[in-house]
């Protein structure tokens, strides 16, 4: 069908003052919402759209993020270009009784308005689902579009992961943006883990990094003496020599019902890549699944992540 041709995805209208496709045209650094009416989401952090964005909006949290992109208000910082046009492509355009062809014709009409951001929503009946899949299969047309694309899905297929570089998702009561294609993992409670040669090498790297970041401190020894849990950030795709990316020390205080982050440090070559944010997202998600009697607050100590 002609709707799938590259020419149907016309260049978006220019935005005043936006000379680079990397510049944010929509951004929420930090905001808050009523969790009772927003899928349990209370905090929103780090949502960002530029004209080169390809984002997977995952599950109920992703749908809340799309509503914010479409103009839903929240308390906090929201930066949005005043000329920004967002097209929400969904089954509602042509209605529930529409055929696949009618859905595609409705999409074509909207794309002719040359929006800067296109939201392609997977939710709908059988005919819309077929139309969505046809649009998704036109990979070159989607990649070649000079505006942003947000794909709203309940599950991420390999096609979605291949197309998108960022993800909007919910972690407990938080909603945030994160990279899709990264092989980072957090290894928990390493001081009580079975010792291996690789683990001993990483613990030595913790000692070296903590001495550099925290005025000669040995965070391995200090974690043991203070009862902190020590966890490591590891790049699974890297070779053995460069798998270690950073560490975090934390403690759950039974007295104060507090998740206390005592130390975070990321090695120099990994700074500026969002690894410190990855640690924080992991910690916030971990806290969100703990009962309030165990964790009512999150506090921080010393960090070196810039």
């Amino acid at each position: 069908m002609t709707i799938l041709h590259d020419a149907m995805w016309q260049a978006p209208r220019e935005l005043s003052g936006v000379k680079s496709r990397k510049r944010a045209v929509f951004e929420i650094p930090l905001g808050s919402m009523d969790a009772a009416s927003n899928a349990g989401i209370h905090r929103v952090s780090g949502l960002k759209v530029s004209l080169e964005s390809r984002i997977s909006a995952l599950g109920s949290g992703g749908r809340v993020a799309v509503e914010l992109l479409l103009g839903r208000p929240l308390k906090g910082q929201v930066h949005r270009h005043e000329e920004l046009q967002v097209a929400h492509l969904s089954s509602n355009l042509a209605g529930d009784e529409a055929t696949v062809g009618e859905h595609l014709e409705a999409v074509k009409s909207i794309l002719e308005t040359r929006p800067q951001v296109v939201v392609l929503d997977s939710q709908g009946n059988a005919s819309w689902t077929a139309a969505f899949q046809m649009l998704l299969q036109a990979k070159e047309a989607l990649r070649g579009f000079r505006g942003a694309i947000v794909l709203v899905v309940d599950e991420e297929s390999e096609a979605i992961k291949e197309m998108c570089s960022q993800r909007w998702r919910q972690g407990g009561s938080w909603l945030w943006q994160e990279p899709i294609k990264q092989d980072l993992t957090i290894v928990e409670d390493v001081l009580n883990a079975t010792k291996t040669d690789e683990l001993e090498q990483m613990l030595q790297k913790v000692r070296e990094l903590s001495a550099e970041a925290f005025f000669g401190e040995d965070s391995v020894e200090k974690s043991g003496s203070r009862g902190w849990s020590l966890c490591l950030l590891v790049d699974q795709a890297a070779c053995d020599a460069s798998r270690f990316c950073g560490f975090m020390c934390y403690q759950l205080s039974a007295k104060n019902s507090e998740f206390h982050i005592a130390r975070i440090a990321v090695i120099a070559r990994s700074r500026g890549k969002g690894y410190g944010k990855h640690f924080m997202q992991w910690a916030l998600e971990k806290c969100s699944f703990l009962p309030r009697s165990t964790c009512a607050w999150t506090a921080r100590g010393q960090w070196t992540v810039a």
Side-chain angles (χ1 to χ4, degrees), residues 75-295:
K75 297 177 182 177
Q77 304 168 338
V78 181
H79 307 301
R80 179 189 183 96
H81 195 287
E82 60 183 10
E83 300 169 10
L84 187 65
Q85 180 183 354
V86 181
H88 188 192
L89 307 184
S90 69
S91 60
N92 293 332
L93 291 178
D96 292 338
E97 302 302 320
T99 65
V100 174
E102 288 169 338
H103 281 304
L104 293 177
E105 284 300 321
V107 168
K108 177 183 176 182
S109 295
I110 294 297
L111 292 179
E112 287 175 348
T113 67
R114 299 172 59 197
Q116 295 88 16
V117 181
V118 174
V119 177
L120 185 52
D121 197 328
S122 65
Q123 193 172 72
N125 58 18
S127 60
W128 172 253
T129 299
F132 175 86
Q133 290 300 325
M134 293 178 71
L135 291 164
L136 189 61
Q137 288 166 12
K139 296 178 182 179
E140 294 308 313
L142 293 176
R143 290 195 181 101
F145 179 56
R146 300 292 292 173
I149 294 178
V150 179
L151 301 177
V152 187
V153 295
D154 292 320
E155 295 182 1
E156 286 177 344
S157 64
E158 288 305 314
I160 297 293
K161 292 178 182 179
E162 181 183 348
M163 179 63 61
C164 300
S165 61
Q166 297 284 315
R167 173 191 295 122
W168 288 339
R169 80 171 181 94
Q170 178 179 0
S173 62
W174 284 75
L175 171 63
W176 58 61
Q177 182 167 319
E178 64 186 15
I180 287 181
K181 297 176 182 177
Q182 60 180 15
D183 295 287
L184 298 177
T185 187
I186 291 180
V187 183
E188 294 190 62
D189 198 19
V190 294
L191 294 184
N192 293 318
T194 301
K195 297 299 186 289
T196 64
D197 289 343
E198 183 182 25
L199 179 56
E200 290 292 354
Q201 292 172 7
M202 288 191 182
L203 289 175
Q204 180 57 33
K205 291 182 182 295
V206 171
R207 294 185 180 95
E208 294 168 1
L209 177 57
S210 62
E212 172 193 339
F214 305 122
F215 309 101
E217 175 182 295
D218 180 346
S219 292
V220 176
E221 179 182 355
K222 197 160 192 174
S223 294
S225 64
R226 297 216 174 170
W228 295 344
S229 292
L230 174 62
C231 56
L232 309 179
L233 184 63
V234 176
D235 185 349
Q236 299 282 36
C239 62
D240 290 347
S242 58
R243 278 161 56 84
F244 173 77
C245 296
F247 73 91
M248 180 170 73
C249 307
Y250 70 90
Q251 185 177 40
L252 272 171
S253 171
K255 180 180 179 181
N256 300 322
S257 300
E258 179 181 272
F259 187 99
H260 176 67
I261 301 171
R263 302 285 188 273
I264 292 182
V266 175
I267 59 175
R269 64 174 169 79
S270 297
R271 292 172 193 166
K273 297 181 179 180
Y275 288 4
K277 182 179 179 181
H278 186 89
F279 261 136
M280 287 306 303
Q281 289 174 341
W282 175 84
L284 290 169
E285 188 165 13
K286 185 179 181 72
C287 291
S288 71
F289 290 107
L290 296 172
R292 289 189 63 84
S293 58
T294 301
C295 179

Side-chain angles (χ1 to χ4, degrees), residues 33-42 60 64 67 72 170:
M33 310 178 72
D34 178 9
S37 57
N38 291 286
I41 294 170
H42 179 55
S60 58
V64 171
E67 290 177 11
R72 182 171 181 174
Q170 178 179 0

